[in-house]
Amino acid sequence: MAVPDWFADILHRELAPWVSLSRDQVVQLYNHYSLLDRWNKKMNLTSVAPGEETVIRHYCESLFFAAHLENNASSIADIGSGAGFPGVPIAILKPDWKVSLVESNQRKAVFLREATRTLANVSVVAQRGEELASVFDSLVSRAVNPNEVVALIPRRSPKIGLMLGEDDFLELQSTKQIAWSEPIRLPWGDRRICVFGRSST
């Protein structure tokens, strides 16, 4: 599938300080974007307008987040993956990592399976996070109540990474079982941040 210039230009322009994408990676990201755009007309996968807003909010933010994950996190679970964020961009940027997209909504899980058929390092788990039996190097999440993800530490992983609003993180900072690193502000406004932590128990 040919990638339109506007799509590639946004990725390269916005991510230049943090992420370098190969042509194949841009193609994989666009394949996901194209399928998301088509499926979103039939089911509510995202409320973000197609075009530049979607590329920045979903793909650039997820890739920025992926660039700040610890490099030794070879198995990742994206809790409440939804349309595949941040898990799909993480899998594309880090092809050596095994990424599990955990999504309990069955229709969204069907979309995720279709969207990741060509990504050998991705599996789709159609379950709720608390039903997981596996253990991962790190849990990540974006659109889920962060307390639900924190509750899985350290049973399902010793490490956690979240994309959330600054105010939401203020509530989490009192969580005694996790030692949080300094938040990293997402560069595209909205007072949104990336935070990373590890079990302190």
Side-chain angles (χ1 to χ4, degrees), residues 48-193:
V48 180
E52 181 165 355
E53 187 179 358
T54 284
V55 178
I56 290 176
R57 184 64 184 263
H58 289 324
Y59 297 90
C60 290
E61 287 194 1
S62 295
L63 289 163
F64 177 88
F65 176 80
H68 289 84
L69 282 168
E70 288 186 13
N71 277 328
N72 60 352
S74 59
S75 65
I76 299 279
D78 177 13
I79 307 298
S81 189
F85 304 107
V88 170
I90 290 173
I92 290 171
L93 186 66
K94 309 281 190 178
D96 294 335
W97 293 7
K98 295 190 184 314
V99 179
S100 298
L101 308 179
V102 182
E103 176 51 60
S104 61
N105 181 298
Q106 297 301 314
R107 294 182 71 200
K108 290 179 180 178
V110 169
F111 166 78
L112 290 173
R113 288 193 183 97
E114 179 66 20
T116 59
R117 281 190 305 163
T118 60
L119 299 177
N121 60 329
V122 173
S123 60
V124 178
V125 182
Q127 291 180 320
R128 294 178 61 83
E130 58 265 31
E131 297 169 345
L132 285 172
S134 303
V135 175
F136 303 88
D137 290 337
S138 185
L139 305 182
V140 300
S141 188
R142 187 177 77 155
V144 172
N145 179 338
N147 291 304
E148 294 180 18
V149 188
V150 167
L152 302 175
I153 305 293
R155 192 165 43 96
R156 293 292 159 245
S157 174
K159 291 183 285 187
I160 185 171
L162 299 171
M163 301 168 69
L164 72 175
E166 289 180 346
D167 292 342
D168 293 324
F169 181 56
L170 288 176
E171 297 177 21
L172 285 184
Q173 284 181 297
S174 60
T175 308
K176 295 289 189 286
Q177 75 264 32
I178 295 178
W180 297 102
S181 61
E182 195 66 28
I184 303 166
R185 185 184 288 272
L186 286 157
W188 298 281
D190 260 3
R191 297 183 67 231
R192 291 172 53 74
I193 56 175

